Amino acid sequence: MKRLLHYLVLPLLAVGLALPAASESSLPNPQVVIETTQGNITLRLFRDKAPATVENFLQYVEDGFYDGTIFHRVIPNFMIQGGGFTPDMTEKATREPIPNESRNRLHNVRGTVAMARTSDPDSATAQFFINQRTNLRLDWMPGQPGYTVFGEVTDGMNVVDFIATAPVQEVGGHTDVPVEPIVIKTIRKKSLL
């Protein structure tokens, strides 16, 4: 009897230990709402295609990092970029950069959200942009690292289009800064219920 229990308990224990890992990989793609002074934008994040990028973004969301930041770079018929500066154009301190996941075969098409970065492919931290049009030149291709797409707008593309029409100016060497700050009041996770 003892031997039989041994044969039953070990496989059950192994299955029990494997369940948390399996359930993590099958978690649904989360949604967040970006509340701005111009209206709300809802995003679905592609945890299954850009796991490190989504977890990084969600950690900034949970930390309240984006609260009070602005869309500081707005270029019509291209994209709107935000998540790194306060209304007085002070850059916020961030965590360490994350690895580039642009080889995930997701394209920078209209309505997708991607990580902003410098010329170093692995330099993305907190700033992100929403493609107002299809920008396939920003995709990964052999010999050219791309910009990691990690989500898409599911509601509020009209808000993105409106933000893209904002009059802009140059501020302290930064071009395409909206004259009137477009503030990200908060970004919050949307309940799946």
Side-chain angles (χ1 to χ4, degrees), residues 80-181:
I80 63 172
Q81 180 176 333
F85 289 86
T86 60
D88 65 359
M89 288 302 289
T90 299
E91 189 167 7
K92 292 186 76 170
T94 62
R95 295 191 311 273
E96 291 298 309
I98 58 171
N100 187 301
E101 293 181 298
S102 65
R103 293 181 78 156
N104 61 10
R105 298 190 181 269
L106 295 177
H107 300 287
N108 282 276
V109 295
R110 175 174 163 78
T112 55
V113 60
M115 290 305 292
R117 61 172 176 78
T118 66
S119 58
D120 175 356
D122 298 318
S123 62
T125 54
Q127 292 184 38
F128 62 91
F129 63 92
I130 301 172
N131 287 292
Q132 196 208 2
R133 69 162 194 177
T134 295
N135 295 303
L136 297 181
R137 72 181 189 279
L138 302 180
D139 290 355
W140 178 90
M141 58 185 78
Q144 176 186 306
Y147 291 79
T148 302
V149 171
F150 68 99
E152 67 181 349
V153 174
T154 59
D155 189 36
M157 199 59 200
N158 58 325
V159 176
V160 174
D161 289 336
F162 183 72
I163 290 171
T165 66
V168 294
Q169 62 186 339
E170 183 174 335
V171 178
H174 297 277
T175 57
D176 306 305
V177 179
V179 174
E180 287 291 319

